[in-house]
Amino acid sequence: MNSKSDTPHIYINGRFLTQRMTGVERYAWNICKAMAALGQDFTIVCPHAKILDCYDTHGMNVVKYGFGNSHFWEQCVFPLFFLLKRHFVVFSFTGLGSILVRNKVMTIHDLSFLENPTWFSRSYYYWYKVMTPLAVRTSCHIITVSEFSKSEILRFYPFLNESDITVAYNAVDEEQFHHLHHSVEAPERFALTVSSLDPRKNFLRLAHAFEGIEGLNLHIVGNANRVFSQQEGMKKLPQNVRMLGRVSDEELIRLYHQADCFIFPSLYEGFGLPPIEAMQCGCPVLASDIPVLREVCGDAAEYFNPLDEEDIRKTIQTFIDNKEEKKPIMRQQGYKNISRFSWRNSAQLLIKLVNNLNT
């Protein structure tokens, strides 16, 4: 066992603190909070830009360094911070990290841009197609968020070994997502889906499936992102499908509690965080029958073929026809399922990893 003096100091690429909290930023932030709660010493290095209010860094060691706040800062400015430092490791929890820093543990959340380049803008695709293997080759270890993603990394980058990759699962942020002790009755019956408006999220097929469902609306939470190829069809939706855009965590919790069910029709995920957020709030989950969602949701969800609108429609209809019987059972299965995931466990895994790295 390494002594405390033998353990490399942990630095964290803190660029995410200046960015809006979406899935990968939430992962980075919750790992940081869990490591701090465990008493692990680390330093977050971030650009000279405003740290957003959603990140309460009180009590954490945060250093602002350099200039800029873009990929240029991450790739060219951030590495200068380490020029005279020895015996350290840098975690990049949201993605690439600098290819100039070799004492680096990078995180690959998914490789969807390689699975289907048409889901993304050309600039995004080519940037990550070129930079990801460079970042992989210049990292001392890789973190990913599911066994499925680990298998995908090995498939696309066969020069890696299984021992080069550690799976540190996502978990629910229990400070944000929790069961409400008082419920607010919804003015209408609705199903909920949540994610960025990305073609791989398959919202267009889900929307079309709702054309044949009566008495139930679909609420879609999420904003379009310019890195994704846009779907023209999303501009013409059935009358019972409503786009809510981005909402606050408080509003999202209310929606999870009021919804008849949560539907996740994604074609490809690295983990799939919204389904377990829904389960945390007691909302039954209907999900795509793809390997990663089977891994994450287990027996707590009902599954459909995401490429078959009729099967999506049939699965939703069967659920709502039997909701009174199914909902309490699926709620308890959901609570049991999410107990498998813990930020504390993931943080402990990464701290153990640091102790075993040769830096």
Side-chain angles (χ1 to χ4, degrees):
M1 180 180 292
N2 292 343
S3 68
K4 188 171 182 179
S5 60
D6 291 333
T7 303
H9 184 70
I10 297 173
Y11 291 94
I12 293 171
N13 177 352
R15 182 174 171 237
F16 73 91
L17 294 176
T18 67
Q19 299 171 323
R20 191 174 65 185
M21 191 183 291
T22 61
V24 296
E25 290 83 11
R26 195 178 294 278
Y27 180 86
W29 180 231
N30 279 286
I31 290 288
C32 288
K33 289 196 297 182
M35 288 201 305
L38 288 166
Q40 176 63 46
D41 182 33
F42 61 90
T43 302
I44 303 177
V45 183
C46 68
H48 276 287
K50 176 179 170 55
I51 295 176
L52 300 189
D53 293 339
C54 54
Y55 305 104
D56 180 7
T57 58
H58 179 74
M60 294 187 184
N61 185 18
V62 179
V63 175
K64 291 193 174 185
Y65 178 79
F67 57 92
N69 186 32
S70 64
H71 287 299
F72 179 80
W73 179 87
E74 187 171 63
Q75 294 300 327
C76 300
V77 179
F78 181 51
L80 299 176
F81 181 83
F82 301 100
L83 282 179
L84 300 178
K85 292 182 170 53
R86 298 290 183 272
H87 202 46
F88 66 89
V89 62
V90 179
F91 278 103
S92 285
F93 290 127
T94 58
L96 296 174
S98 173
I99 63 173
L100 299 178
V101 178
R102 289 186 173 267
N103 290 5
K104 170 179 80 272
V105 177
M106 70 174 290
T107 307
I108 298 179
H109 289 267
D110 67 66
L111 291 172
S112 51
F113 67 95
L114 293 178
E115 176 66 16
N116 191 333
T118 64
W119 290 335
F120 299 86
S121 67
R122 292 180 67 184
S123 59
Y124 182 96
Y125 167 70
Y126 284 112
W127 169 260
Y128 281 95
K129 181 182 180 182
V130 171
M131 293 297 292
T132 302
L134 289 174
V136 168
R137 288 184 181 276
T138 57
S139 294
C140 57
H141 201 76
I142 311 296
I143 302 169
T144 193
V145 292
S146 65
E147 293 294 339
F148 170 76
S149 280
K150 180 176 179 177
S151 69
E152 289 289 89
I153 294 167
L154 293 169
R155 175 165 74 98
F156 284 110
Y157 304 121
F159 55 84
L160 289 170
N161 298 314
E162 285 198 29
S163 59
D164 295 325
I165 307 168
T166 294
V167 175
Y169 280 121
N170 277 278
V172 177
D173 185 344
E174 295 183 4
E175 293 180 10
Q176 299 290 341
F177 298 95
H178 49 81
H179 182 72
L180 292 178
H181 296 292
H182 61 281
S183 59
V184 179
E185 188 173 345
E188 60 185 357
R189 291 185 62 194
F190 67 91
L192 180 67
T193 190
V194 177
S195 195
S196 56
L197 300 189
D198 166 357
R200 69 186 167 109
K201 302 300 184 180
N202 203 28
F203 287 159
L204 191 54
R205 281 195 184 91
L206 178 60
H208 287 166
F210 263 76
E211 289 183 282
I213 296 177
E214 296 183 359
L216 186 71
N217 293 328
L218 173 65
H219 289 181
I220 300 177
V221 171
N223 283 343
N225 189 312
R226 62 185 176 84
V227 305
F228 302 124
S229 302
Q230 297 305 305
Q231 293 174 290
E232 290 298 320
M234 291 300 290
K235 297 177 182 178
K236 297 179 181 179
L237 298 173
Q239 290 186 343
N240 62 343
V241 177
R242 301 181 182 178
M243 304 290 297
L244 303 186
R246 185 175 174 83
V247 302
S248 67
D249 283 344
E250 292 75 17
E251 176 69 4
L252 182 56
I253 291 168
R254 183 186 65 79
L255 290 168
Y256 277 138
H257 280 81
Q258 291 182 334
D260 278 22
C261 61
F262 177 79
I263 307 174
F264 203 61
S266 185
L267 300 174
Y268 189 97
E269 292 289 330
F271 181 88
L273 188 56
I276 65 169
E277 291 176 350
M279 290 178 187
Q280 176 73 19
C281 296
C283 187
V285 172
L286 314 181
S288 293
D289 194 356
I290 57 177
V292 69
L293 294 184
R294 286 280 185 177
E295 178 184 347
V296 171
C297 297
D299 296 331
E302 295 195 348
Y303 297 93
F304 52 77
N305 180 351
L307 299 175
D308 186 341
E309 288 177 16
E310 184 55 40
D311 192 49
I312 298 172
R313 182 182 298 112
K314 180 180 177 182
T315 303
I316 297 168
Q317 190 67 60
T318 299
F319 172 80
I320 61 177
D321 288 345
N322 299 278
K323 187 186 75 167
E324 297 307 316
E325 175 186 350
K326 285 177 173 288
K327 192 165 185 175
I329 296 172
M330 293 181 69
R331 179 183 290 123
Q332 292 306 313
Q333 289 173 328
Y335 292 149
K336 181 179 179 181
N337 179 65
I338 60 175
S339 66
R340 297 188 294 132
F341 306 109
S342 160
W343 290 118
R344 180 183 177 89
N345 289 347
S346 290
Q348 287 176 325
L349 193 64
L350 298 184
I351 293 169
K352 182 179 179 180
L353 169 65
V354 171
N355 292 333
N356 293 327
L357 285 176
N358 294 317
T359 58

